[in-house]
């Protein structure tokens, strides 16, 4: 009887271990699918497809796209970068991960990607990823997952491909190929207000896009003059993507306007943004 009981317990332990390993493998493969409840998704992106993200993910995606554009990388590179960050971190700037991996791309200090503090900087991490991708011969003609794998050297080389379609939607919107395509709702308490919000918004727009001549002293918001319509929507969508963490209340470009109150874009009849500018207004103090 005792021998049989011990055998039963041992068998149960083995089954539990198998189940734990199986669950881990599934989570590793499907990644973000299991960690993004719909109630947390405050941003929608519609550009020949639809993607839903929360505010942190949206802000990170916008920065990844902006850094790629600033480096002069083609849109395909942005798709690869977004798919990689989707799989590795769920588009979140993680403080830890497998072994010593950190950040959006789960880059490892021990493999020469930089210090943990550097890798936790989304701009630094994105720049390092694009630099590594550019060195991969023929990456432009590879499948998304193959190009990503040549950079990441993952134990799951096919895992990036499932994010390709969503990443293409994000890239089209964030690189200005669609109008009014990024819409986010902002909570009752934005992270910043007033002059501090305007200054930080201006600073980060300059850092992400490399703009020059943007006035950082306007306490109510900012205005940017784009080179063309596509650039205008790049900046407008970036501003909406960072609305929650920078206290953005309103964004206008052309005859379309996004407001935090409605969380969506609408037409402003008979009015155009001044001199073709992209205009952003931040929440006042209190």
């Amino acid at each position: 009887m005792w021998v049989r009981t011990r055998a039963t317990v041992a068998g149960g332990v083995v089954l539990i271990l198998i189940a734990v390993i199986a669950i881990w493998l599934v989570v590793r493969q499907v990644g973000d699918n299991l960690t993004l409840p719909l109630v947390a998704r405050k941003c929608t992106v519609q550009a020949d497809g639809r993607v839903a993200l929360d505010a942190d993910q949206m802000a990170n995606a916008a920065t990844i796209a902006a850094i790629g554009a600033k480096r002069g990388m083609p849109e395909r590179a942005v798709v690869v970068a977004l798919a990689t960050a989707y799989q590795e971190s769920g588009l979140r700037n993680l403080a830890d991960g497998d072994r010593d991996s950190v950040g959006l791309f789960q880059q490892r200090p021990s493999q020469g990607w930089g210090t943990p503090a550097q890798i936790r900087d989304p701009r630094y991490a994105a720049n390092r990823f694009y630099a590594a991708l550019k060195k991969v011969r023929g990456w432009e003609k590879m499948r998304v997952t193959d190009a990503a794998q040549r950079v990441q050297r993952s134990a799951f080389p096919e895992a990036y491909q499932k994010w390709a379609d969503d990443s293409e939607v994000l890239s089209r919107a964030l690189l200005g190929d669609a109008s009014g395509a990024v819409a986010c709702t902002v909570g009752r308490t934005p992270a910043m207000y007033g002059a501090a919000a305007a200054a930080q918004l201006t600073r980060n727009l300059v850092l992400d896009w490399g703009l020059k001549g943007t006035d950082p002293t306007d306490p109510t918001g900012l205005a940017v003059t784009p080179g063309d319509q596509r650039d205008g929507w790049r900046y407008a969508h970036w501003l909406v993507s960072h609305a929650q963490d920078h206290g953005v209340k309103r964004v206008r470009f052309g005859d379309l306007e996004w407001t935090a109150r409605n969380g969506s874009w609408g037409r402003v009849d008979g009015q155009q943004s001044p001199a073709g500018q992209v205009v952003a207004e931040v929440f006042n103090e209190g």
Side-chain angles (χ1 to χ4, degrees):
M1 183 69 171
W2 173 246
V3 173
R4 182 178 298 176
T5 301
R6 289 179 60 187
T8 301
V9 171
V13 170
V14 170
L15 288 175
I16 291 172
L17 287 174
I18 292 173
V20 170
I21 293 171
I23 291 171
W24 181 85
L25 288 172
V26 170
V27 171
R28 188 67 175 84
Q29 283 290 335
V30 302
D32 206 34
N33 278 342
L34 295 183
T35 60
L36 303 179
L38 288 174
V39 294
R41 299 184 176 184
K42 296 183 178 180
C43 297
T44 57
V45 181
Q46 299 194 61
D48 294 330
R50 185 179 185 277
V51 173
L53 300 174
D54 68 22
D56 287 341
Q57 292 172 304
M58 193 70 244
N60 288 328
T63 290
I64 290 170
I67 295 300
K70 185 171 72 169
R71 291 180 65 93
M73 299 294 284
E75 187 168 332
R76 180 70 171 178
V78 175
V79 173
V80 174
L82 288 170
T84 302
Y86 249 129
Q87 172 61 24
E88 296 291 350
S89 68
L91 289 171
R92 301 188 188 283
N93 193 13
L94 301 179
D96 53 25
D98 180 41
R99 287 171 282 190
D100 60 336
S101 300
V102 295
L104 286 167
F105 298 91
Q106 289 291 277
Q107 294 154 331
R108 298 179 59 190
S110 63
Q111 293 185 346
W113 287 98
T115 67
Q118 287 174 322
I119 298 171
R120 287 294 308 284
D121 178 347
R123 297 181 189 91
Y124 174 92
N127 270 305
R128 287 301 306 270
F129 179 86
Y130 285 119
L133 179 65
K134 193 172 182 178
K135 294 178 181 178
V136 176
R137 180 172 298 187
W139 69 266
E140 301 93 335
K141 297 181 180 179
M142 294 179 183
R143 292 187 307 153
V144 167
T145 199
D146 294 333
Q149 174 64 4
R150 291 289 295 274
V151 176
Q152 299 296 108
R153 305 295 182 183
S154 170
F156 301 93
E158 290 293 321
Y160 305 103
Q161 192 64 34
K162 63 178 172 289
W163 303 113
D165 290 345
D166 284 357
S167 297
E168 288 177 358
V169 173
L170 289 174
S171 295
R172 282 192 289 269
L174 294 171
L175 295 181
D177 294 328
S179 303
V182 177
C184 296
T185 59
V186 176
R188 296 181 180 179
T189 54
M192 308 182 78
Y193 292 89
Q200 187 72 5
L201 186 69
T202 301
R203 175 180 178 273
N204 287 338
L205 182 66
V206 170
L207 287 173
D208 276 12
W209 286 103
L211 301 179
K212 297 180 180 180
T214 304
D215 182 9
T217 61
D218 186 349
T220 65
L222 60 83
V224 181
T225 302
D228 55 27
Q229 186 83 356
R230 190 183 189 209
D231 280 347
W233 283 114
R234 288 180 173 189
Y235 306 148
H237 289 156
W238 184 96
L239 289 163
V240 174
S241 298
H242 285 275
Q244 179 67 43
D245 58 355
H246 286 72
V248 180
K249 181 180 180 180
R250 186 187 313 271
V251 177
R252 179 182 292 182
F253 181 52
D255 62 351
L256 292 178
E257 180 180 78
W258 169 90
T259 63
R261 180 177 181 179
N262 296 326
S264 61
W265 289 89
R267 196 166 300 279
V268 185
D269 293 333
Q271 298 185 49
Q272 293 274 338
S273 58
Q277 291 182 319
V278 180
V279 179
E281 177 187 350
V282 298
F283 284 93
N284 293 324
E285 202 74 44

